[in-house]
Amino acid sequence: MTADDRSDAILLYAAGLLEGAELRRLEEQLRAGDFARELREARALVAQISLGLDPVEPSPESKERLLAQIASSAPPIPEPAARSGRMRLALVATIAALLGAAIATALSYWLGTLPARREAGLQVEARAELERANRALEEEREELDRVIAQQDVVLGELQQALELADEQIHMLHDPDLDLVVLAATDLQPEASAWVFWEWDDYSCYLHATGLSQADAGRTYALWVFNDAGGVVRVGTFTPDDSGEVTYFAKLRRDIGRVVRVVITDEPTDVAEQPSGPDHLVWQSEPRAS
Amino acid sequence: VLGDRSEAEEVLSEVFHEVWGRAERYDPTRTSPLVYLLTLSRSRCIERWRRLGRRASVLEGPEDLRRSGPGGEPDEALPSAQALAARHRSFVRTALDGLEPPERQVVELIYFYGLTQAEIAQRLGQPLGTVKAWIRQGLTRLRDVLQPLCAESNSA
């Protein structure tokens, strides 16, 4: 780039007309060399084109607006010191100013603390509101705990029922399963009952229908007699409203060979031996000698 | 430039307020105070002109540059500041009058309205290269005529 080219480029640069590669190339040269004076002259040339315009006197309102604008953004200008010939007036004015300042200070303090007091009030209200919300949450949590505890009970019962059903299903599939059918006595001619024995793990499953409700203070009991004359109480049970019973129990492994199964009704504090009448009975066939 | 006295006064107020509030931005090593003020005024004027949406139709520079002539010889009876301004005006108008019409047109469009070279080329229906050549010639001719004024402005 020749000196003339550079001068032209500086002129265009000062007018804001250089772009892209031309702009970058010139800026590199301006950084590398001392062209401050030339650039300054170019800026002056471009700027003073506006001097060709007719001057227009601003309106007085414009001047007043500008001065007001400046006054509103400028720091206050201190008043000149009082002259000796106006000491009295100055004293009165000073007292008035001090009084005014005191009132203004008190007012500004009151106004200044107003947000803080309002803020403090808001904080108290907010804290009370939080405490109320916290208590409500606590009550809700306790209620949920109760519901969960109830559900746990139900779940436990369901779990037990499921385990029982599993055992029953397992037993019904077992090849060692024995079934005995109990015969109704005259006390309950409409009743019937089946007992499944699963000797693999000594499980016992009773299913009965048509049973009447036991009398007050009494309950039904299932008894097993072995061939040695011994008797074992398997358990007690109560039929539902439709007279059905489903009952599952484990037998002692030393029970021996079962020869008789009986359902009796007994006092609720059941003894180790049957004392009530027989309602349903199964008796094994005597072995051939 | 703005074609509205109240708008011009708004810009004037804005410029002086900016100078008052941000005087520390002025760098005396870069420009003289007069050039700084003129540059700032021009920028604020163009910004406001654009905000007013007057970019679309303009094809020539400000009216008063064409309406009156060079302004004649400075009146010796005027106060010194006004006399100086009148002398400057006479110089600039003489320089602008010395340009070829297309050169003057593009220089005025660029200076007073901030149009880009591409915008001017499109507006005048001329190739961009031609417009660039007019601008370059126009500015260098102005420089040759206004050189003494530039030195004076720089020292102002």
Side-chain angles (χ1 to χ4, degrees):
Chain A
M1 184 183 281
T2 66
D4 284 346
D5 288 341
R6 187 173 54 247
S7 290
D8 290 353
I10 288 175
L11 194 54
L12 293 170
Y13 177 73
L17 294 171
L18 282 191
E19 295 173 318
E22 281 184 318
L23 176 64
R24 287 193 294 276
R25 194 160 50 242
L26 181 71
E27 283 179 337
E28 282 174 14
Q29 292 193 10
L30 292 176
R31 279 194 294 272
D34 181 13
F35 303 105
R37 187 186 58 80
E38 200 169 353
L39 185 58
R40 187 181 163 98
E41 285 180 358
R43 285 197 176 113
L45 169 76
V46 172
Q48 66 194 321
I49 293 174
S50 57
L51 295 178
L53 296 169
D54 289 336
V56 178
E57 189 76 19
S59 65
E61 295 80 20
S62 173
K63 182 182 173 186
E64 283 174 14
R65 271 203 311 275
L66 176 62
L67 291 176
Q69 207 174 359
I70 288 172
S72 67
S73 60
I77 299 169
E79 292 293 330
R83 295 179 186 280
S84 58
R86 292 184 291 168
M87 281 296 287
R88 182 184 297 271
L89 182 61
L91 186 60
V92 171
T94 305
I95 291 168
L98 286 172
L99 279 172
I103 292 168
T105 304
L107 187 61
S108 65
Y109 173 77
W110 187 84
L111 287 172
T113 57
L114 190 59
R117 284 185 277 120
R118 186 179 295 142
E119 181 72 19
L122 288 174
Q123 284 180 357
V124 169
E125 284 179 21
R127 185 176 296 129
E129 182 62 29
L130 279 172
E131 285 171 357
R132 279 195 294 275
N134 200 29
R135 279 197 298 275
L137 280 172
E138 188 65 27
E139 287 170 6
E140 195 173 341
R141 193 180 67 80
E142 288 171 0
E143 177 61 25
L144 281 172
D145 284 346
R146 280 193 292 274
V147 171
I148 289 170
Q150 289 171 355
Q151 287 178 343
D152 281 345
V153 171
V154 173
L155 277 174
E157 290 171 356
L158 285 172
Q159 185 69 28
Q160 284 178 354
L162 187 63
E163 288 171 2
L164 178 61
D166 274 347
E167 295 235 23
Q168 291 166 356
I169 290 169
H170 174 75
M171 192 173 73
L172 288 170
H173 282 87
D174 195 293
D176 294 331
L177 178 69
D178 279 339
L179 169 63
V180 295
V181 179
L182 279 70
T185 64
D186 293 339
L187 288 176
Q188 299 232 32
E190 301 298 322
S192 60
W194 302 267
V195 176
F196 300 90
W197 307 104
E198 206 279 278
W199 297 116
D200 195 32
D201 64 350
Y202 287 77
S203 308
C204 168
Y205 170 73
L206 164 71
H207 181 73
T209 59
L211 281 174
S212 60
Q213 297 298 316
D215 292 336
R218 300 189 71 82
T219 185
Y220 288 106
L222 177 64
W223 304 94
V224 175
F225 296 82
N226 60 24
D227 57 356
V231 59
V232 173
R233 192 188 70 229
V234 179
T236 58
F237 54 87
T238 302
D240 63 15
D241 292 342
S242 62
E244 287 198 14
V245 174
T246 299
Y247 178 73
F248 184 84
K250 290 284 188 182
L251 296 174
R252 285 165 32 189
R253 287 186 177 270
D254 59 351
I255 193 169
R257 195 174 79 84
V258 176
V259 294
R260 179 181 165 85
V261 178
V262 180
I263 293 176
T264 61
D265 73 288
E266 305 287 337
T268 47
D269 52 340
V270 188
E272 291 303 313
Q273 296 287 327
S275 60
D278 295 347
H279 291 262
L280 291 142
V281 179
W282 171 79
Q283 181 72 49
S284 68
E285 295 293 332
R287 287 187 172 181
S289 56
Chain B
V1 172
L2 291 166
D4 185 308
R5 187 186 177 92
S6 64
E7 293 287 348
E9 287 187 351
E10 286 289 323
V11 172
L12 177 75
S13 176
E14 187 182 343
V15 167
F16 273 93
H17 192 248
E18 188 171 340
V19 170
W20 170 263
R22 300 175 183 177
E24 71 281 0
R25 288 186 179 182
Y26 170 64
D27 180 0
T29 63
R30 285 165 59 89
T31 56
S32 68
L34 176 63
V35 171
Y36 177 70
L37 277 176
L38 290 173
T39 306
L40 191 59
S41 302
R42 176 196 172 223
S43 299
R44 297 295 172 265
C45 233
I46 290 172
E47 285 167 10
R48 183 170 287 257
W49 186 74
R50 285 176 179 163
R51 279 204 302 274
L52 293 171
R54 296 178 182 165
R55 200 176 175 81
S57 59
V58 69
L59 282 174
E60 293 176 309
E63 197 178 335
D64 59 353
L65 281 181
R66 295 183 304 282
R67 190 177 55 228
S68 51
E73 289 300 312
D75 188 344
E76 297 297 333
L78 290 172
S80 59
Q82 291 181 30
L84 184 63
R87 182 163 165 266
H88 281 176
R89 188 161 61 253
S90 176
F91 255 122
V92 173
R93 288 192 179 178
T94 301
L96 289 171
D97 286 344
L99 301 181
E100 294 294 329
E103 295 170 0
R104 177 172 180 157
Q105 186 181 21
V106 294
V107 166
E108 288 180 359
L109 289 177
I110 282 171
Y111 182 75
F112 290 109
Y113 302 114
L115 297 184
T116 66
Q117 297 175 96
E119 283 174 328
I120 293 172
Q122 186 184 17
R123 194 159 297 195
L124 301 181
Q126 296 290 336
L128 181 59
T130 304
V131 169
K132 282 187 173 180
W134 286 342
I135 292 168
R136 185 179 293 259
Q137 287 161 14
L139 287 177
T140 50
R141 278 177 201 265
L142 281 178
R143 181 180 56 195
D144 294 342
V145 176
L146 296 176
Q147 198 70 44
L149 195 62
C150 290
E152 200 172 296
S153 297
N154 266 329
S155 62

